PDB file of all heavy atoms in Angstrom:
ATOM      1  N   LEU A 176     144.545 140.876  15.105  1.00 91.00           N
ATOM      2  CA  LEU A 176     145.758 141.315  15.702  1.00 91.00           C
ATOM      3  C   LEU A 176     146.670 140.130  16.123  1.00 91.00           C
ATOM      4  O   LEU A 176     147.825 140.252  16.021  1.00 91.00           O
ATOM      5  CB  LEU A 176     145.344 142.054  17.051  1.00 91.00           C
ATOM      6  CG  LEU A 176     144.465 143.292  16.807  1.00 91.00           C
ATOM      7  CD1 LEU A 176     144.166 143.912  18.190  1.00 91.00           C
ATOM      8  CD2 LEU A 176     145.361 144.324  16.068  1.00 91.00           C
ATOM      9  N   ASN A 177     146.056 138.948  16.538  1.00 95.00           N
ATOM     10  CA  ASN A 177     146.823 137.871  16.901  1.00 95.00           C
ATOM     11  C   ASN A 177     147.510 137.235  15.611  1.00 95.00           C
ATOM     12  O   ASN A 177     148.727 137.010  15.698  1.00 95.00           O
ATOM     13  CB  ASN A 177     145.916 136.750  17.447  1.00 95.00           C
ATOM     14  CG  ASN A 177     146.689 135.441  17.779  1.00 95.00           C
ATOM     15  OD1 ASN A 177     146.469 134.462  17.226  1.00 95.00           O
ATOM     16  ND2 ASN A 177     147.621 135.657  18.746  1.00 95.00           N
ATOM     17  N   SER A 178     146.786 137.314  14.431  1.00 94.00           N
ATOM     18  CA  SER A 178     147.515 136.917  13.279  1.00 94.00           C
ATOM     19  C   SER A 178     148.715 137.783  12.889  1.00 94.00           C
ATOM     20  O   SER A 178     149.506 137.371  12.113  1.00 94.00           O
ATOM     21  CB  SER A 178     146.505 136.617  12.065  1.00 94.00           C
ATOM     22  OG  SER A 178     146.160 137.891  11.687  1.00 94.00           O
ATOM     23  N   GLU A 179     148.574 139.032  13.399  1.00 90.00           N
ATOM     24  CA  GLU A 179     149.745 139.983  13.129  1.00 90.00           C
ATOM     25  C   GLU A 179     150.864 139.829  14.165  1.00 90.00           C
ATOM     26  O   GLU A 179     151.703 140.627  14.179  1.00 90.00           O
ATOM     27  CB  GLU A 179     149.174 141.384  12.880  1.00 90.00           C
ATOM     28  CG  GLU A 179     148.446 141.474  11.663  1.00 90.00           C
ATOM     29  CD  GLU A 179     147.836 142.862  11.390  1.00 90.00           C
ATOM     30  OE1 GLU A 179     148.088 143.758  12.155  1.00 90.00           O
ATOM     31  OE2 GLU A 179     147.002 142.868  10.269  1.00 90.00           O
ATOM     32  N   GLY A 180     150.725 138.888  14.989  1.00 94.00           N
ATOM     33  CA  GLY A 180     151.834 138.596  16.000  1.00 94.00           C
ATOM     34  C   GLY A 180     151.585 139.062  17.407  1.00 94.00           C
ATOM     35  O   GLY A 180     152.510 138.920  18.265  1.00 94.00           O
ATOM     36  N   ILE A 181     150.447 139.652  17.751  1.00 95.00           N
ATOM     37  CA  ILE A 181     150.250 140.062  19.111  1.00 95.00           C
ATOM     38  C   ILE A 181     149.603 138.958  19.997  1.00 95.00           C
ATOM     39  O   ILE A 181     148.614 138.288  19.509  1.00 95.00           O
ATOM     40  CB  ILE A 181     149.319 141.316  19.216  1.00 95.00           C
ATOM     41  CG1 ILE A 181     149.988 142.456  18.333  1.00 95.00           C
ATOM     42  CG2 ILE A 181     148.979 141.752  20.543  1.00 95.00           C
ATOM     43  CD1 ILE A 181     149.262 143.801  18.287  1.00 95.00           C
ATOM     44  N   THR A 182     150.144 138.666  21.150  1.00 97.00           N
ATOM     45  CA  THR A 182     149.704 137.779  22.062  1.00 97.00           C
ATOM     46  C   THR A 182     148.436 138.311  22.814  1.00 97.00           C
ATOM     47  O   THR A 182     148.536 139.433  23.035  1.00 97.00           O
ATOM     48  CB  THR A 182     150.871 137.373  23.005  1.00 97.00           C
ATOM     49  OG1 THR A 182     151.891 136.873  22.122  1.00 97.00           O
ATOM     50  CG2 THR A 182     150.410 136.247  23.935  1.00 97.00           C
ATOM     51  N   ILE A 183     147.573 137.475  23.075  1.00 97.00           N
ATOM     52  CA  ILE A 183     146.225 138.066  23.528  1.00 97.00           C
ATOM     53  C   ILE A 183     145.736 137.231  24.830  1.00 97.00           C
ATOM     54  O   ILE A 183     145.541 135.972  24.794  1.00 97.00           O
ATOM     55  CB  ILE A 183     145.223 138.095  22.431  1.00 97.00           C
ATOM     56  CG1 ILE A 183     145.622 139.272  21.567  1.00 97.00           C
ATOM     57  CG2 ILE A 183     143.853 138.467  23.102  1.00 97.00           C
ATOM     58  CD1 ILE A 183     144.892 139.388  20.243  1.00 97.00           C
ATOM     59  N   LEU A 184     145.419 138.034  25.918  1.00 98.00           N
ATOM     60  CA  LEU A 184     144.571 137.391  27.012  1.00 98.00           C
ATOM     61  C   LEU A 184     143.128 138.110  26.905  1.00 98.00           C
ATOM     62  O   LEU A 184     143.108 139.336  26.975  1.00 98.00           O
ATOM     63  CB  LEU A 184     145.254 137.643  28.413  1.00 98.00           C
ATOM     64  CG  LEU A 184     144.419 137.220  29.523  1.00 98.00           C
ATOM     65  CD1 LEU A 184     144.218 135.589  29.502  1.00 98.00           C
ATOM     66  CD2 LEU A 184     145.091 137.586  30.838  1.00 98.00           C
ATOM     67  N   LEU A 185     142.164 137.198  26.679  1.00 97.00           N
ATOM     68  CA  LEU A 185     140.912 137.811  26.387  1.00 97.00           C
ATOM     69  C   LEU A 185     139.911 137.386  27.511  1.00 97.00           C
ATOM     70  O   LEU A 185     139.634 136.126  27.770  1.00 97.00           O
ATOM     71  CB  LEU A 185     140.345 137.211  24.969  1.00 97.00           C
ATOM     72  CG  LEU A 185     138.982 137.486  24.555  1.00 97.00           C
ATOM     73  CD1 LEU A 185     138.782 138.935  24.222  1.00 97.00           C
ATOM     74  CD2 LEU A 185     138.685 136.681  23.307  1.00 97.00           C
ATOM     75  N   VAL A 186     139.302 138.302  28.066  1.00 96.00           N
ATOM     76  CA  VAL A 186     138.182 138.063  29.098  1.00 96.00           C
ATOM     77  C   VAL A 186     136.890 138.287  28.347  1.00 96.00           C
ATOM     78  O   VAL A 186     136.701 139.455  27.845  1.00 96.00           O
ATOM     79  CB  VAL A 186     138.321 139.044  30.376  1.00 96.00           C
ATOM     80  CG1 VAL A 186     137.163 138.828  31.385  1.00 96.00           C
ATOM     81  CG2 VAL A 186     139.701 138.883  31.006  1.00 96.00           C
ATOM     82  N   GLU A 187     136.078 137.272  28.361  1.00 91.00           N
ATOM     83  CA  GLU A 187     134.913 137.433  27.372  1.00 91.00           C
ATOM     84  C   GLU A 187     133.714 136.610  27.941  1.00 91.00           C
ATOM     85  O   GLU A 187     133.879 135.456  28.402  1.00 91.00           O
ATOM     86  CB  GLU A 187     135.361 136.930  26.069  1.00 91.00           C
ATOM     87  CG  GLU A 187     134.433 137.210  24.922  1.00 91.00           C
ATOM     88  CD  GLU A 187     133.827 138.643  24.886  1.00 91.00           C
ATOM     89  OE1 GLU A 187     134.596 139.583  24.614  1.00 91.00           O
ATOM     90  OE2 GLU A 187     132.608 138.795  25.047  1.00 91.00           O
ATOM     91  N   GLN A 188     132.532 137.268  27.855  1.00 86.00           N
ATOM     92  CA  GLN A 188     131.264 136.637  28.248  1.00 86.00           C
ATOM     93  C   GLN A 188     130.684 135.928  27.159  1.00 86.00           C
ATOM     94  O   GLN A 188     129.788 134.991  27.316  1.00 86.00           O
ATOM     95  CB  GLN A 188     130.243 137.607  28.788  1.00 86.00           C
ATOM     96  CG  GLN A 188     130.776 138.300  29.996  1.00 86.00           C
ATOM     97  CD  GLN A 188     130.237 137.764  31.342  1.00 86.00           C
ATOM     98  OE1 GLN A 188     129.824 136.598  31.442  1.00 86.00           O
ATOM     99  NE2 GLN A 188     130.319 138.450  32.408  1.00 86.00           N
ATOM    100  N   ASN A 189     130.984 136.253  25.847  1.00 88.00           N
ATOM    101  CA  ASN A 189     130.516 135.595  24.716  1.00 88.00           C
ATOM    102  C   ASN A 189     131.435 134.353  24.481  1.00 88.00           C
ATOM    103  O   ASN A 189     132.286 134.207  23.604  1.00 88.00           O
ATOM    104  CB  ASN A 189     130.710 136.503  23.432  1.00 88.00           C
ATOM    105  CG  ASN A 189     129.511 137.424  23.464  1.00 88.00           C
ATOM    106  OD1 ASN A 189     128.406 137.110  23.133  1.00 88.00           O
ATOM    107  ND2 ASN A 189     129.843 138.679  23.826  1.00 88.00           N
ATOM    108  N   VAL A 190     131.090 133.350  25.366  1.00 90.00           N
ATOM    109  CA  VAL A 190     132.029 132.307  25.550  1.00 90.00           C
ATOM    110  C   VAL A 190     132.277 131.382  24.310  1.00 90.00           C
ATOM    111  O   VAL A 190     133.386 131.130  23.909  1.00 90.00           O
ATOM    112  CB  VAL A 190     131.350 131.315  26.676  1.00 90.00           C
ATOM    113  CG1 VAL A 190     132.240 130.087  26.790  1.00 90.00           C
ATOM    114  CG2 VAL A 190     131.458 132.111  28.064  1.00 90.00           C
ATOM    115  N   ARG A 191     131.152 131.203  23.542  1.00 90.00           N
ATOM    116  CA  ARG A 191     131.325 130.316  22.415  1.00 90.00           C
ATOM    117  C   ARG A 191     132.317 130.939  21.385  1.00 90.00           C
ATOM    118  O   ARG A 191     133.238 130.330  20.999  1.00 90.00           O
ATOM    119  CB  ARG A 191     130.001 130.011  21.762  1.00 90.00           C
ATOM    120  CG  ARG A 191     130.034 129.229  20.453  1.00 90.00           C
ATOM    121  CD  ARG A 191     128.831 129.281  19.678  1.00 90.00           C
ATOM    122  NE  ARG A 191     127.771 128.431  20.439  1.00 90.00           N
ATOM    123  CZ  ARG A 191     127.725 127.069  20.204  1.00 90.00           C
ATOM    124  NH1 ARG A 191     128.669 126.549  19.459  1.00 90.00           N
ATOM    125  NH2 ARG A 191     126.868 126.447  20.893  1.00 90.00           N
ATOM    126  N   ARG A 192     132.085 132.186  21.060  1.00 90.00           N
ATOM    127  CA  ARG A 192     132.824 132.830  20.081  1.00 90.00           C
ATOM    128  C   ARG A 192     134.274 132.990  20.481  1.00 90.00           C
ATOM    129  O   ARG A 192     135.279 132.942  19.710  1.00 90.00           O
ATOM    130  CB  ARG A 192     132.185 134.168  19.630  1.00 90.00           C
ATOM    131  CG  ARG A 192     132.770 135.035  18.632  1.00 90.00           C
ATOM    132  CD  ARG A 192     132.625 134.429  17.212  1.00 90.00           C
ATOM    133  NE  ARG A 192     133.337 135.013  16.250  1.00 90.00           N
ATOM    134  CZ  ARG A 192     134.307 134.549  15.554  1.00 90.00           C
ATOM    135  NH1 ARG A 192     134.587 133.215  15.690  1.00 90.00           N
ATOM    136  NH2 ARG A 192     135.053 135.216  14.681  1.00 90.00           N
ATOM    137  N   ALA A 193     134.533 133.345  21.861  1.00 92.00           N
ATOM    138  CA  ALA A 193     135.763 133.567  22.408  1.00 92.00           C
ATOM    139  C   ALA A 193     136.576 132.233  22.363  1.00 92.00           C
ATOM    140  O   ALA A 193     137.696 132.255  21.993  1.00 92.00           O
ATOM    141  CB  ALA A 193     135.654 134.017  23.788  1.00 92.00           C
ATOM    142  N   LEU A 194     135.900 131.108  22.561  1.00 94.00           N
ATOM    143  CA  LEU A 194     136.564 129.878  22.564  1.00 94.00           C
ATOM    144  C   LEU A 194     136.970 129.440  21.012  1.00 94.00           C
ATOM    145  O   LEU A 194     137.943 128.810  20.924  1.00 94.00           O
ATOM    146  CB  LEU A 194     135.745 128.702  23.291  1.00 94.00           C
ATOM    147  CG  LEU A 194     135.556 128.891  24.822  1.00 94.00           C
ATOM    148  CD1 LEU A 194     134.568 127.831  25.394  1.00 94.00           C
ATOM    149  CD2 LEU A 194     136.903 128.690  25.473  1.00 94.00           C
ATOM    150  N   GLU A 195     136.109 129.827  20.199  1.00 93.00           N
ATOM    151  CA  GLU A 195     136.428 129.612  18.785  1.00 93.00           C
ATOM    152  C   GLU A 195     137.510 130.236  18.349  1.00 93.00           C
ATOM    153  O   GLU A 195     138.289 129.806  17.519  1.00 93.00           O
ATOM    154  CB  GLU A 195     135.169 129.967  17.864  1.00 93.00           C
ATOM    155  CG  GLU A 195     134.019 128.935  18.010  1.00 93.00           C
ATOM    156  CD  GLU A 195     132.763 129.430  17.353  1.00 93.00           C
ATOM    157  OE1 GLU A 195     132.715 130.549  16.848  1.00 93.00           O
ATOM    158  OE2 GLU A 195     131.720 128.677  17.361  1.00 93.00           O
ATOM    159  N   ILE A 196     137.906 131.444  18.861  1.00 93.00           N
ATOM    160  CA  ILE A 196     139.024 132.131  18.352  1.00 93.00           C
ATOM    161  C   ILE A 196     140.317 132.000  19.138  1.00 93.00           C
ATOM    162  O   ILE A 196     141.293 132.586  18.962  1.00 93.00           O
ATOM    163  CB  ILE A 196     138.751 133.654  18.130  1.00 93.00           C
ATOM    164  CG1 ILE A 196     138.587 134.434  19.468  1.00 93.00           C
ATOM    165  CG2 ILE A 196     137.698 133.834  17.077  1.00 93.00           C
ATOM    166  CD1 ILE A 196     138.803 135.881  19.254  1.00 93.00           C
ATOM    167  N   SER A 197     140.240 131.218  20.209  1.00 96.00           N
ATOM    168  CA  SER A 197     141.373 131.170  21.182  1.00 96.00           C
ATOM    169  C   SER A 197     141.971 129.765  21.177  1.00 96.00           C
ATOM    170  O   SER A 197     141.328 128.784  20.712  1.00 96.00           O
ATOM    171  CB  SER A 197     140.933 131.557  22.628  1.00 96.00           C
ATOM    172  OG  SER A 197     139.942 130.645  22.989  1.00 96.00           O
ATOM    173  N   HIS A 198     143.234 129.690  21.483  1.00 97.00           N
ATOM    174  CA  HIS A 198     144.000 128.487  21.525  1.00 97.00           C
ATOM    175  C   HIS A 198     143.615 127.510  22.899  1.00 97.00           C
ATOM    176  O   HIS A 198     143.391 126.477  22.899  1.00 97.00           O
ATOM    177  CB  HIS A 198     145.409 128.609  21.423  1.00 97.00           C
ATOM    178  CG  HIS A 198     145.907 129.382  20.326  1.00 97.00           C
ATOM    179  ND1 HIS A 198     146.069 130.766  20.275  1.00 97.00           N
ATOM    180  CD2 HIS A 198     146.006 128.892  18.984  1.00 97.00           C
ATOM    181  CE1 HIS A 198     146.468 131.140  18.977  1.00 97.00           C
ATOM    182  NE2 HIS A 198     146.353 129.990  18.178  1.00 97.00           N
ATOM    183  N   ARG A 199     143.787 128.348  24.021  1.00 97.00           N
ATOM    184  CA  ARG A 199     143.439 127.703  25.308  1.00 97.00           C
ATOM    185  C   ARG A 199     142.535 128.638  26.166  1.00 97.00           C
ATOM    186  O   ARG A 199     142.329 129.742  25.805  1.00 97.00           O
ATOM    187  CB  ARG A 199     144.766 127.588  26.073  1.00 97.00           C
ATOM    188  CG  ARG A 199     145.806 126.552  25.511  1.00 97.00           C
ATOM    189  CD  ARG A 199     146.909 126.234  26.409  1.00 97.00           C
ATOM    190  NE  ARG A 199     147.702 127.456  26.699  1.00 97.00           N
ATOM    191  CZ  ARG A 199     147.805 128.029  27.880  1.00 97.00           C
ATOM    192  NH1 ARG A 199     147.225 127.607  28.927  1.00 97.00           N
ATOM    193  NH2 ARG A 199     148.612 129.137  28.039  1.00 97.00           N
ATOM    194  N   ALA A 200     141.965 128.064  27.230  1.00 97.00           N
ATOM    195  CA  ALA A 200     141.119 128.787  28.063  1.00 97.00           C
ATOM    196  C   ALA A 200     141.276 128.375  29.496  1.00 97.00           C
ATOM    197  O   ALA A 200     141.684 127.275  29.804  1.00 97.00           O
ATOM    198  CB  ALA A 200     139.636 128.547  27.626  1.00 97.00           C
ATOM    199  N   TYR A 201     140.988 129.382  30.399  1.00 97.00           N
ATOM    200  CA  TYR A 201     140.848 129.162  31.809  1.00 97.00           C
ATOM    201  C   TYR A 201     139.479 129.476  32.221  1.00 97.00           C
ATOM    202  O   TYR A 201     138.871 130.351  31.833  1.00 97.00           O
ATOM    203  CB  TYR A 201     141.839 129.939  32.650  1.00 97.00           C
ATOM    204  CG  TYR A 201     143.312 129.678  32.430  1.00 97.00           C
ATOM    205  CD1 TYR A 201     143.962 130.123  31.337  1.00 97.00           C
ATOM    206  CD2 TYR A 201     143.934 128.764  33.199  1.00 97.00           C
ATOM    207  CE1 TYR A 201     145.306 129.802  31.109  1.00 97.00           C
ATOM    208  CE2 TYR A 201     145.261 128.465  33.046  1.00 97.00           C
ATOM    209  CZ  TYR A 201     145.905 128.953  32.038  1.00 97.00           C
ATOM    210  OH  TYR A 201     147.275 128.602  31.858  1.00 97.00           O
TER     211      TYR A 201
END
Side-chain angles (χ1 to χ4, degrees):
L176 294 177
N177 179 245
S178 72
E179 287 177 10
I181 298 180
T182 303
I183 289 168
L184 177 60
L185 175 65
V186 176
E187 190 47 66
Q188 299 264 18
N189 283 284
V190 173
R191 174 189 290 277
R192 186 72 189 113
L194 290 175
E195 280 169 0
I196 67 161
S197 59
H198 301 98
R199 289 188 302 113
Y201 291 84

